[in-house]
Amino acid sequence: MGKVQTRFIFVTGGVVSSLGKGIASASIGALLESRGLTVTILKLDPYINLDPGTMSPFQHGEVFVTEDGSETDLDLGHYERFLKTKMTKDNNFTTGQVYEEVLRKERKGDYLGGTVQVIPHITDEIKNKIIKGAGNSDVAIVEIGGTVGDIESQPFLEAIRQMKLELGSNQTLFIHLTLVPFLKSAGETKTKPTQRSVKEMLSHGLQPDILICRSDGVLADEERGKIALFTNVEESSVISMPDVNSIYKIPVELNNQKVDEIVVNKLNLTCRKASLVDWKRVIEEDLNPKDSVTVSMVGKYTELADAYKSLNEALRHGGLKNSLKVDIRYVDSELINARNAKSLLKGSHAVLVPGGFGERGIEGMIAAVKFARINKIPYLGICLGLQIAVIEYARNVVGLRGANSTEFDKETKHPVIGLISEWMDSEGTVEKRDENSDLGGTMRLGAQECLLDKDSLSRSLYKKTKILERHRHRYEVNNNYLDMLISSGMKVAGRSKDRSLVEVVELNKHPWFVGCQFHPEFTSNPRKGHPLFSGFIKAAKKYKRLKK
Ligand code: GLN
């Protein structure tokens, strides 16, 4: 394995999925970072898909986009919200990607005609990818998706077992998250599922060093003792992680139970004590709002909260920075129209149209934007939300009947949004695409520089001219319509680095109306917030005051 300095913390889950492995990993990462260590986090997804970017948000939640333009699992969003480290394409991989690489090598003859097998070829490739993702960090936390016992995750467990053997126990540590349910009918907390789950791990040759027990309430010492006895984990390392009213409390909760101290000792790391002032401030802000505002989010994935994970968090961060609680009201874009917009948006202090693909719900979104524009309700349009704002303005203010995006109407007379052919990336390379290019390859992805107009609302919010924000879309504002839009009162407040593409639009005669082609939600975090979301929530607060 060559000389690897990084310490590895492997995080697995047992009993059931959705225990919050991602948040636990991110919180431990935050604690270690606050002790002065460089930390990164990897998510290993046992499913076969090659590309999380093409998975349905209905099934899988949001697709998170990294700075380097990789479409990844939403857990990477948690990691970036908790850590200062930025994630890259190497921080997330799937079984499909591992097999693809092994098969590519096999085709090239790299295995010299030998039999290609799960052990060692697949497991070696998993180890290579883990080590690559860890880079030069002091600590790499590696979260294995799924639960121990799933058929799909077995090669991953085998790979991390081998890593422990090769690197030794000072360099590797295993954390297992498990469910400790309270059975109402028996009036008892049950530790058996946890015992079974650890047995399952042992059958793969893995002994957890730390158990994080998820439960409704705090676990009694007696129960922790029992779990310790049956699982061969020291009692001090049996951690109780009850449900909390704010996920941002978890780093502090884990620190109270000395999780970082245990990790640092077991991994023989020398570093300072944890400093959690900024996390304590976040908790303070989160738990003591002075008032609340209601934001209506008009989109099509309204049934699954995870579909807009980063956006929900970014709005909440906007609230933290204004001492407000943000109530998000999900409005199904397929149900809203010009006739019912007033009643469906009643009581909203701001309207947001999030990103999205495909034709469904488009007319409803247009009705919502129109309502916000005319009634001077603060509006934030993200990616698709910008495109909708431009279509609505073109139709109803410029007077271009039937204006549309070619994504929804190929034959439209006024393609104000279309597939336009080239843009410059942050390195200055010109990328090209056209309508005949393969869809997967034509997405504008990742962080790109945007230049803000000096007289714009956005410029005053960001307090700088050059910003870096992440993209994930194919369509752009059609420059041929810009003169008309601008002379009717729309402002181009931001443009791409080479000035050829519209990145931000605003309205001259509206108190707060911003559409951005990028996704600002991917760069918001609870400690710093994000200028657009802080500004948006502040505007909602002002609107609420005015309406009183
Ligand atoms: N469907 C639009 C496009 O591809 C918007 C995408 C998005 O909102 N992320 O350009």
Side-chain angles (χ1 to χ4, degrees):
M1 203 180 283
K3 200 138 182 58
V4 179
Q5 302 289 354
T6 303
R7 312 292 214 276
F8 292 88
I9 301 176
F10 298 106
V11 182
T12 52
V15 187
V16 290
S17 60
S18 306
L19 286 178
K21 257 185 299 167
I23 307 268
S25 303
S27 301
I28 294 168
L31 283 179
L32 296 175
E33 201 176 61
S34 86
R35 301 187 63 139
L37 299 165
T38 56
V39 180
T40 193
I41 313 186
L42 278 77
K43 172 80 190 280
L44 277 44
D45 280 312
Y47 52 74
I48 316 285
N49 302 57
L50 278 177
D51 178 5
T54 51
M55 294 171 79
S56 164
F58 274 126
Q59 265 192 33
H60 212 75
E62 139 191 305
V63 174
F64 184 78
V65 180
T66 57
E67 201 162 79
D68 65 354
S70 182
E71 298 173 280
T72 65
D73 187 86
L74 60 77
D75 270 323
L76 272 76
H78 292 309
Y79 306 161
E80 283 202 359
R81 286 186 282 276
F82 280 80
L83 293 192
K84 290 178 182 138
T85 311
K86 293 270 171 284
M87 300 297 126
T88 70
K89 60 178 182 347
D90 296 329
N91 287 76
N92 180 210
F93 62 88
T94 68
T95 292
Q97 289 165 0
V98 172
Y99 272 82
E100 188 186 42
E101 185 62 26
V102 168
L103 292 173
R104 196 186 56 77
K105 288 185 180 162
E106 189 270 340
R107 292 290 79 190
K108 260 179 50 202
D110 285 7
Y111 302 121
L112 306 172
T115 312
V116 181
Q117 294 177 300
V118 173
I119 308 173
H121 302 98
I122 295 298
T123 46
D124 278 353
E125 195 54 46
I126 294 173
K127 290 191 281 179
N128 289 341
K129 284 187 179 297
I130 292 177
I131 287 167
K132 184 165 180 219
N136 296 324
S137 328
D138 296 330
V139 180
I141 300 175
V142 182
E143 179 191 345
I144 318 277
T147 34
V148 169
D150 297 348
I151 289 183
E152 285 100 336
S153 51
Q154 289 194 14
F156 291 94
L157 300 181
E158 172 56 20
I160 63 177
R161 184 194 66 79
Q162 292 175 18
M163 280 185 77
K164 168 160 184 180
L165 195 68
E166 288 159 35
L167 295 172
S169 42
N170 277 344
Q171 224 175 318
T172 49
L173 183 124
F174 295 91
I175 299 184
H176 188 58
L177 252 88
T178 159
L179 179 71
V180 184
F182 178 77
L183 278 198
K184 258 206 208 123
S185 55
E188 264 180 60
T189 299
K190 292 295 182 189
T191 62
K192 189 73 82 192
T194 297
Q195 298 175 32
R196 305 252 7 131
S197 181
V198 173
K199 285 230 164 67
E200 178 79 42
M201 278 197 77
L202 287 170
S203 74
H204 294 281
L206 300 170
Q207 164 68 52
D209 298 287
I210 299 177
L211 285 180
I212 297 188
C213 303
R214 296 282 292 107
S215 52
D216 298 339
V218 180
L219 280 189
D221 285 350
E222 189 190 314
E223 281 143 2
R224 291 188 29 246
K226 186 170 170 194
I227 292 172
L229 178 68
F230 280 101
T231 58
N232 205 22
V233 173
E234 285 167 37
E235 194 174 328
S236 59
S237 299
V238 177
I239 308 298
S240 164
M241 190 165 126
D243 294 342
V244 280
N245 50 1
S246 163
I247 54 167
Y248 299 127
K249 270 187 174 173
I250 297 174
V252 175
E253 294 283 330
L254 293 178
N255 174 256
N256 288 341
Q257 295 182 63
K258 303 205 167 42
V259 172
D260 51 315
E261 200 58 30
I262 299 170
V263 168
V264 162
N265 288 338
K266 290 209 160 131
L267 290 176
N268 241 345
L269 286 157
T270 10
C271 56
R272 59 170 192 247
K273 292 255 163 285
S275 151
L276 297 171
V277 252
D278 44 359
W279 287 108
K280 287 184 179 153
R281 199 195 63 236
V282 170
I283 299 171
E284 192 60 33
E285 289 170 343
D286 199 14
L287 300 181
N288 301 299
K290 294 209 168 61
D291 194 5
S292 67
V293 290
T294 301
V295 176
S296 281
M297 196 192 292
V298 185
K300 68 174 177 179
Y301 300 117
T302 46
E303 301 105 90
L304 183 74
D306 268 0
Y308 301 116
K309 191 73 209 167
S310 295
L311 196 44
N312 298 340
E313 291 301 311
L315 285 167
R316 194 165 149 202
H317 305 155
L320 297 180
K321 301 302 149 210
N322 287 285
S323 306
L324 293 172
K325 175 167 181 292
V326 178
D327 294 317
I328 304 175
R329 187 193 294 170
Y330 298 96
V331 179
D332 187 339
S333 53
E334 286 187 288
L335 300 179
I336 189 168
N337 55 47
R339 285 179 313 281
N340 65 15
K342 188 172 176 187
S343 66
L344 286 182
L345 297 176
K346 197 168 172 220
S348 306
H349 308 116
V351 173
L352 187 149
V353 172
F357 293 83
E359 202 187 337
R360 262 180 43 209
I362 292 302
E363 293 303 320
M365 296 176 200
I366 293 176
V369 177
K370 183 176 179 189
F371 188 82
R373 177 176 59 78
I374 291 176
N375 295 290
K376 305 225 182 303
I377 306 174
Y379 174 76
L380 177 59
I382 294 178
C383 205
L384 176 64
L386 166 142
Q387 299 174 356
I388 295 291
V390 170
I391 296 170
E392 191 277 322
Y393 209 74
R395 285 187 191 175
N396 301 326
V397 180
V398 185
L400 301 172
R401 277 187 55 191
N404 214 332
S405 161
T406 51
E407 182 179 3
F408 318 125
D409 179 5
K410 286 238 166 347
E411 308 301 318
T412 173
K413 238 170 65 201
H414 296 295
V416 288
I417 308 291
L419 269 183
I420 312 177
S421 50
E422 56 179 55
W423 74 93
M424 196 186 278
D425 70 13
S426 55
E427 261 94 62
T429 320
V430 176
E431 305 254 1
K432 289 188 193 252
R433 66 187 162 191
D434 63 34
E435 288 184 44
N436 303 320
S437 319
D438 161 34
L439 280 187
T442 55
M443 191 88 91
R444 192 173 157 209
L445 270 174
Q448 290 176 21
E449 203 173 287
C450 162
L451 304 171
L452 296 174
D453 189 279
K454 66 178 184 336
D455 297 318
S456 60
L457 169 62
S458 307
R459 167 72 183 74
S460 71
L461 292 168
Y462 276 95
K463 298 195 173 58
K464 54 185 175 190
T465 317
K466 261 193 213 167
I467 57 167
L468 199 64
E469 291 283 11
R470 300 180 196 175
H471 290 252
R472 180 174 183 251
H473 55 102
R474 300 192 177 92
Y475 293 81
E476 306 283 351
V477 175
N478 183 343
N479 287 333
N480 298 327
Y481 287 92
L482 277 189
D483 286 346
M484 275 182 255
L485 289 163
I486 293 171
S487 61
S488 306
M490 187 167 254
K491 171 188 274 172
V492 177
R495 287 176 189 270
S496 56
K497 185 175 184 173
D498 63 355
R499 300 193 174 275
S500 68
L501 299 173
V502 172
E503 304 282 46
V504 185
V505 300
E506 294 175 4
L507 291 185
N508 293 331
K509 289 205 191 103
H510 192 288
W512 210 101
F513 191 105
V514 176
C516 50
Q517 193 56 79
F518 45 78
H519 288 269
E521 69 271 29
F522 293 141
T523 50
S524 177
N525 69 62
R527 287 183 278 187
K528 282 208 191 126
H530 186 287
L532 274 187
F533 289 98
S534 304
F536 182 52
I537 298 303
K538 191 171 175 189
K541 173 173 153 189
K542 195 165 163 193
Y543 180 85
K544 183 175 180 181
R545 222 182 27 229
L546 277 174
K547 283 285 135 183
K548 266 193 182 152

